[in-house]
Amino acid sequence: MNSWDSDLAYQAVVRAFVNGDPLDQAGGPLDVRAVVAGIRADAKDGFLLEEVPWERFPDGVSVREVMERLRSGDASAVRGALDSLIGLCADDMRAAVAPTVPFLIRIGADPEAGHRAGALTVTAEVARFRHQGVCTRADMAVPRR
């Protein structure tokens, strides 16, 4: 039995997306688009990580801990935190990393912030195509109206 078997967030995701119809989750508590849209602007601007429901997503609590290291001011800790987030994306844990995007964009847009490029790299990684960045013309096609 691995640790995921006892992870309540993982079990909820399996019930919703593997055993259920993923379309039923649109706009709900497991829809990262809805979660990110629901983060108050003041929380994003103030880096109020406690206002994000990290626990809804597998590895979400560890993502919040990684995000705390971004505020440490220690260059090595910040680099390590950004590397951890990229690693989670590589392990297909984008749902847990997605709520970091509004915070990372603010870091990337702050001319005084260090590691701006790294923060924006993570945001881009969250949004990558399902093919890990290797896309076909069909993936890039604009739907006709």
Side-chain angles (χ1 to χ4, degrees), residues 78-130:
V78 171
R79 254 190 322 278
L82 293 170
D83 288 346
S84 292
L85 294 173
I86 287 285
L88 285 164
C89 287
D91 289 339
D92 209 20
M93 297 306 296
R94 284 179 180 81
V97 181
T100 69
V101 169
F103 302 101
L104 295 171
I105 288 174
R106 282 158 175 76
I107 292 170
D110 181 358
E112 302 297 317
H115 304 285
R116 293 171 62 200
L120 294 175
T121 297
V122 174
T123 62
E125 189 65 30
V126 171
R128 287 185 75 166
F129 288 100
R130 68 182 179 276

Side-chain angles (χ1 to χ4, degrees), residues 4-57:
W4 285 48
D5 293 333
S6 60
D7 183 323
L8 297 178
Y10 177 74
Q11 292 172 9
V13 168
V14 168
R15 279 192 306 277
F17 294 99
V18 177
N19 299 336
D21 184 349
L23 292 177
D24 290 341
Q25 304 309 312
L30 297 176
D31 183 344
V32 294
R33 300 166 303 174
V35 170
V36 171
I39 302 171
R40 295 181 316 107
D42 292 350
K44 296 172 193 175
D45 294 338
F47 222 81
L48 303 176
L49 299 173
E50 62 276 5
E51 292 199 19
V52 179
W54 304 101
E55 68 284 349
R56 291 184 191 170
F57 306 101

